[in-house]
Amino acid sequence: MRANRQWKFWLWGFVGFIAVVWLLRSMLAPFVAGMAVAYLLDPVADKLEARGMPRWAATTIVLLGFLLAAILALLLLAPLLQAQVVQLVEVAPEWIAWAKKELVPEIQRWLRRLPAAEAKQLREAAGNYAGTAVGWTADVLRNILTSSVAIIDILSVIFITPIVAFYLLRDWDRMVATIDGWLPRPYATTIREQAREVDTTLAGFVRGQATVCLCLGVFYAVALTAAGLDFGLVIGLITGLLSFIPFVGSLVGFVASVGLALFQFDEFWRVGLIAGIFFFGQAVEGNILTPKLVGDKVGLHPVWVMFALLAGGALFGFVGVLLAVPVAAVIGVLTRFCLQQYMQSSLYRGFDTVEATALDLPPDPLLSHPAAEGAERGDGVADLPPKP
């Protein structure tokens, strides 16, 4: 098969894969979630198998342990979360009354200082945005409460994901070996190297960042609750969950907790204590947790991760969010590989320095000139030949 036909084959295969994901995005959630669980638990199952345990037994023990831990966490947290949600419903009217009494007069006083035209435009823009936000929220709630499809999706994730995870985890090594046998032989070594790089990047980020999120969620939930902040447990857990998106979790948690502290506490030092909890948490995350658990060699920039998660969610919904980080890891590894190939090609080095050597042609006299050598070294000032 010629090179151009190979490119067409792989290009059309990629387009077909994207089309299948797009068409089936509404029912792929349990399968993608099951694949993610199997990928995360595969190293544990491999260790048990290496100690002489059959693969099916190792898979059963690992998956049951994971499910029991998840169920236990839900059973422990559900009563606490329920109590805080009930409390939130009870105090919501007080917050609304406080906002009408304190915030609204301040906003009106601030608007009176603006020119009439600007104040009018600001009111119209705020009204439009508020109406859009309220309408979008109402639509989402209505779809969640009335859509049988949404209920089916939730049930499918709950009941189908463990089944998919079990079979994928049991046959993981066999599937990898089968896919390896499908690789085009001339490029099998290169593809294996890039696949190992993707696995290293993905495992380092996902497993490490998940551990960081767990540690931060527990720390913020315990610290905010101990500081006496209402809904500290909910805010702490949400902060830990959103910490998977770089900078988003800490920003949302800081704004929510400090704003709630300003409303709840009269003493300024208690507000400072809440803010200090987040400053301490960010210091620990940036200097201890992330360097130790994630490291600086995973090759996924925080901005790239944020873009991938937002783009995946906008294009494919929940399935897109699940696929965002793996796809970002693959694109990052392939981009670095393409850059390495480009840096070694004649497009970067030029015909005289690469192709002349390959073709055994005499080198260009200009390249042997001291001025050209100085420019090639990047000295900033070329070395001039000595005066006669």
Side-chain angles (χ1 to χ4, degrees):
M1 184 181 290
R2 295 180 180 178
N4 58 346
R5 294 186 62 186
Q6 287 183 336
W7 278 108
K8 290 180 180 179
F9 173 80
W10 292 113
L11 179 61
W12 282 112
F14 176 74
V15 172
F17 173 76
I18 296 298
V20 170
V21 173
W22 173 265
L23 293 175
L24 302 179
R25 64 188 184 279
S26 60
M27 51 83 63
L28 287 179
F31 299 95
V32 177
M35 183 179 296
V37 172
Y39 175 77
L40 292 174
L41 299 180
D42 179 65
V44 183
D46 287 341
K47 291 181 180 179
L48 294 179
E49 187 179 13
R51 296 183 178 181
M53 186 176 295
R55 182 69 184 190
W56 66 268
T59 300
T60 304
I61 293 175
V62 170
L63 193 58
L64 283 179
F66 175 79
L67 293 177
L68 289 176
I71 293 173
L72 182 60
L74 289 176
L75 292 178
L76 292 176
L77 293 176
L80 300 175
L81 294 176
Q82 181 182 2
Q84 295 208 350
V85 169
V86 172
Q87 184 183 0
L88 176 62
V89 174
E90 292 176 353
V91 301
E94 298 180 8
W95 289 0
I96 296 174
W98 177 82
K100 290 181 179 179
K101 182 180 179 181
E102 302 292 339
L103 289 181
V104 173
E106 290 293 332
I107 294 174
Q108 292 177 349
R109 205 174 297 120
W110 179 71
L111 288 176
R112 292 192 193 101
R113 300 176 183 176
L114 296 176
E118 294 183 5
K120 182 180 179 181
Q121 293 177 357
L122 188 59
R123 289 192 186 95
E124 292 177 354
N128 293 334
Y129 286 130
T132 302
V134 171
W136 179 81
T137 304
D139 291 339
V140 171
L141 293 176
R142 184 173 59 252
N143 291 334
I144 291 175
L145 295 176
T146 62
S147 177
S148 60
V149 177
I151 297 175
I152 293 175
D153 289 342
I154 295 174
L155 293 177
S156 65
V157 170
I158 294 175
F159 293 104
I160 297 179
T161 297
I163 300 175
V164 174
F166 174 81
Y167 284 106
L168 290 180
L169 185 59
R170 187 193 66 178
D171 301 331
W172 190 268
D173 296 336
R174 190 183 309 167
M175 290 188 302
V176 171
T178 301
I179 295 174
D180 182 79
W182 294 344
L183 299 179
R185 295 298 95 184
Y187 311 106
T189 303
T190 302
I191 295 175
R192 292 190 192 105
E193 293 176 354
Q194 301 311 307
R196 282 192 291 268
E197 184 69 22
V198 170
D199 179 66
T200 301
T201 301
L202 191 58
F205 181 82
V206 174
R207 296 187 180 114
Q209 193 64 32
T211 307
V212 171
C213 292
L214 179 62
C215 295
L216 290 178
V218 173
F219 167 73
Y220 286 129
V222 173
L224 294 176
T225 303
L229 183 68
D230 292 339
F231 318 113
L233 178 65
V234 175
I235 294 176
L237 293 179
I238 292 176
T239 301
L241 180 64
L242 293 179
S243 294
F244 194 82
I245 309 174
F247 309 117
V248 173
S250 58
L251 180 61
V252 171
F254 178 81
V255 172
S257 60
V258 172
L260 183 58
L262 289 172
F263 173 79
Q264 179 181 346
F265 301 129
D266 295 329
E267 302 89 349
F268 184 74
W269 69 268
R270 303 194 69 175
V271 179
L273 177 62
I274 299 299
I277 290 174
F278 274 88
F279 289 138
F280 178 77
Q282 287 305 297
V284 172
E285 177 191 2
N287 296 302
I288 299 177
L289 292 179
T290 299
K292 295 293 183 181
L293 299 177
V294 180
D296 56 354
K297 298 181 180 180
V298 295
L300 288 178
H301 195 276
V303 176
W304 176 232
V305 175
M306 286 190 289
F307 175 80
L309 290 170
L310 294 177
L315 294 175
F316 300 100
F318 180 68
V319 174
V321 173
L322 293 176
L323 292 174
V325 174
V327 172
V330 172
I331 294 176
V333 170
L334 293 181
T335 301
R336 290 192 292 272
F337 174 74
C338 292
L339 284 175
Q340 291 175 358
Q341 298 299 311
Y342 162 72
M343 299 287 282
Q344 297 175 2
S345 69
S346 60
L347 293 175
Y348 175 76
R349 296 173 177 263
F351 176 82
D352 294 304
T353 58
V354 177
E355 296 184 12
T357 303
L359 298 175
D360 293 328
L361 295 177
D364 194 322
L366 291 177
L367 294 179
S368 61
H369 195 282
E373 295 176 357
E376 185 71 15
R377 290 196 307 268
D379 295 338
V381 178
D383 297 328
L384 299 177
K387 294 181 180 181

